[in-house]
Amino acid sequence: MFLMRILLQFPEGLKAGALEAARKLKRKGHEVVISASPCYGACDVAFSEAEAVGAEKIIHYGHAPFRLRVKPRIPVEYVEHRARVGCEPALKKALEDPDFRKCRRVALITTVQHIGQLAEMKRFLEKGGKKVVVGKHGPLAAYDGQVLGCDPGSAVSAEGKADCILYFGGGLFHPLGAALACKKRVIAADPFLRKAFWLDGERERYLKRRKGLLMAGVSARRFGILVSVKPGQLSLEPALRLKKRLEAAGKEAAVLVSDRIEPEALENFRSFDFYVDTACPRLALDDWGRFGKPVMALADAELPVSLLEKAKK
Amino acid sequence: MFLMRILLQFPEGLKAGALEAARKLKRKGHEVVISASPCYGACDVAFSEAEAVGAEKIIHYGHAPFRLRVKPRIPVEYVEHRARVGCEPALKKALEDPDFRKCRRVALITTVQHIGQLAEMKRFLEKGGKKVVVGKHGPLAAYDGQVLGCDPGSAVSAEGKADCILYFGGGLFHPLGAALACKKRVIAADPFLRKAFWLDGERERYLKRRKGLLMAGVSARRFGILVSVKPGQLSLEPALRLKKRLEAAGKEAAVLVSDRIEPEALENFRSFDFYVDTACPRLALDDWGRFGKPVMALADAELPVSLLEKAKK
């Protein structure tokens, strides 16, 4: 009847092309089922859906291959996507920036959707008088120069040889992740907004908020430790270890598990006055405003927890 | 270290008691992980989450045991919940209703959270001069007199012996489901609003909307067939069959799979001008306003589809 039943999965921005992709696979003799769930990244592979519908393969569009934290139960084919947006207007804006003009050596980072333009960006920046460094990628990214919100490796490995870091791409999640992991300043050249801006303000706001969270964490009574079951986010053991440490320090703690972490659903517990996020760093970096309570990344939680442990002794 | 790792799952209204339930189980020596996902019914058992965190058991609070459509991969213990709300004020309102006063024989239906008060309701109505009939439950409910939004069996089996049907409980989903499945009129006695009201208006509005949907379905070009992977909702084969029939009738159709069906995520496809719901009847009954496009229950889709098939011949 059909060659193979395949589940197609698209990030939100590519869902509009789903029907066309399905048509092509159908013509090849496959039976296609489309995932209608929101998909947030390469970490977010729909194994559960694929198993439920008996799919023999997942085609995951838009993201580069990713090191999952679970054994893939079904083969996954990653079909990367390259954005069709010119790089020159935004880079030009960067080159006009007075502070960026003072930087001779630039570490260039971007996301997978622009990685195909890396050579073009490099040439353009070199024509503008820059020496461009492309760093070795971290454990989760697939390409040198590529960063993920959860893997700023390409920035970290290059910053030593650069005066500043240039992020090419949209959004704040990726460049802020790099800005927090690096000592060098980060400038973002956004091809969608055709703007260039430094991340200093965002970085400072985050660090200030984190300082405030430290106090909130020390005085909190009931900790909700957020765990996502997404195959690239699952971090159960660290969550359980943190729970034990908090309990030993006299606090109440619960491990809260879901696929997507949803502030609205967490509110219904009416129990927790502090959340620790073990899932996607975006929650504490970008989405914290949606939680009615403080939310801190697991990596940042070490300090308040060790303070609590010392206070208990 | 611990006896058993258990995943606890609560509907939204009971999440506030989650931490207390976790404490009790911890005291008995268990390791507890709490599902933070929204839970919409007995159909919504978190096997995927339980497997991801290595839970050996799920305790599912609030709902009665339910006939799932998949083989349970992990044992599920259902802990039912009884609402603490008196039945007399709302029943009194019903007894004061002029149309209800004319009904001598009443088929009494309710949800699992009030099923423990069935005898008390019966006595109160009998004191009010009624003959009360409790119908045999349908295939998905667990108790005689109990209805689910997807199983009005207790109403259907009793209506022949009654002049009208009295639904005791909150919301519109359950009584509207009964009103659509039965010929007899349905009155709802809502203990939370302390009100009684007939479902006639809602029923008529639904039937009118369904008539409009029929036209929309016949002229639609691209059908999205909605399938949920929730263990009690999964209905893949009927969805695939419908897809084939629509394609044979010259329409384009895709099976769209997710755990929760979310109108906001569906919008990103920008492709479908008509949805057929094979998952929870609530989507077409209660939540249709959130979809930017017509959404029709699978059971109702037979008519437009057969019209399309005839037109093709």
Side-chain angles (χ1 to χ4, degrees), chain A residues 206 209 213 226 274-277 283-285 287-289 291 293-297:
Chain A
Y206 180 83
R209 207 175 63 242
L213 285 188
L226 309 177
F274 198 91
Y275 293 114
V276 179
D277 165 34
L283 298 179
L285 220 64
D287 293 347
W288 57 273
F291 293 78
K293 294 283 151 50
V295 52
M296 191 178 233

Side-chain angles (χ1 to χ4, degrees), chain A residues 6-234:
Chain A
I6 305 177
L7 180 78
L8 310 189
Q9 210 193 353
F10 301 86
E12 300 316 288
L14 297 184
K15 277 206 164 80
L19 208 48
E20 183 52 37
R23 272 180 214 132
K24 279 187 198 158
L25 288 160
K26 204 195 151 195
R27 263 180 249 130
K28 288 186 186 164
H30 297 297
E31 181 166 79
V32 174
V33 171
I34 302 172
S35 168
S37 303
C39 173
Y40 295 104
C43 54
D44 195 358
V45 181
F47 289 120
S48 298
E49 289 176 10
E51 284 176 322
V53 301
E56 294 149 86
K57 180 178 168 177
I58 296 172
I59 305 186
H60 181 104
Y61 292 84
H63 304 119
F66 186 84
R67 203 175 68 188
L68 299 176
R69 297 182 179 187
V70 301
K71 220 180 118 214
R73 282 116 61 182
I74 289 170
V76 184
E77 181 185 335
Y78 291 86
V79 178
E80 296 178 17
H81 174 76
R82 302 287 180 251
R84 283 186 209 148
V85 59
C87 61
E88 297 198 2
L91 291 179
K92 217 166 160 180
K93 286 283 158 92
L95 287 170
E96 287 163 13
D97 181 275
D99 282 6
F100 189 66
R101 278 155 91 167
K102 292 179 203 151
C103 301
R104 211 184 56 80
R105 303 169 308 157
V106 176
L108 179 60
I109 57 172
T110 188
T111 62
V112 69
Q113 60 173 326
H114 307 291
I115 201 81
Q117 292 161 282
L118 207 63
E120 188 188 338
M121 292 179 211
K122 196 165 174 271
R123 274 197 305 277
F124 189 81
L125 289 168
E126 284 168 351
K127 247 193 331 196
K130 305 297 181 193
K131 186 179 179 311
V132 177
V133 195
V134 173
K136 213 180 146 34
H137 68 81
L140 299 171
Y143 298 97
D144 289 341
Q146 183 203 353
V147 289
L148 298 169
C150 52
D151 182 358
S154 292
V156 174
S157 61
E159 71 162 333
K161 293 168 217 139
D163 303 314
C164 76
I165 296 157
L166 174 78
Y167 165 78
F168 182 85
L172 286 175
F173 179 43
H174 296 82
L176 181 53
L180 290 168
C182 295
K183 285 190 187 75
K184 298 281 164 64
R185 290 177 74 197
V186 175
I187 185 170
D190 186 323
F192 307 105
L193 303 174
R194 298 183 168 213
K195 266 175 53 176
F197 54 92
W198 292 94
L199 268 293
D200 307 8
E202 286 295 331
R203 184 176 186 276
E204 255 164 69
R205 266 191 291 281
Y206 180 83
L207 294 176
K208 211 179 214 170
R209 207 175 63 242
R210 194 168 68 183
K211 213 178 260 180
L213 285 188
L214 180 63
M215 292 308 300
V218 169
S219 60
R221 296 186 52 214
R222 297 199 187 90
F223 289 77
I225 306 167
L226 309 177
V227 173
S228 168
V229 298
K230 289 192 190 298
Q233 296 188 12
L234 184 65

Side-chain angles (χ1 to χ4, degrees), chain B residues 287-298:
Chain B
D287 294 348
W288 57 274
R290 290 172 55 211
F291 293 78
K293 294 283 152 48
V295 52
M296 192 179 232
L298 179 64

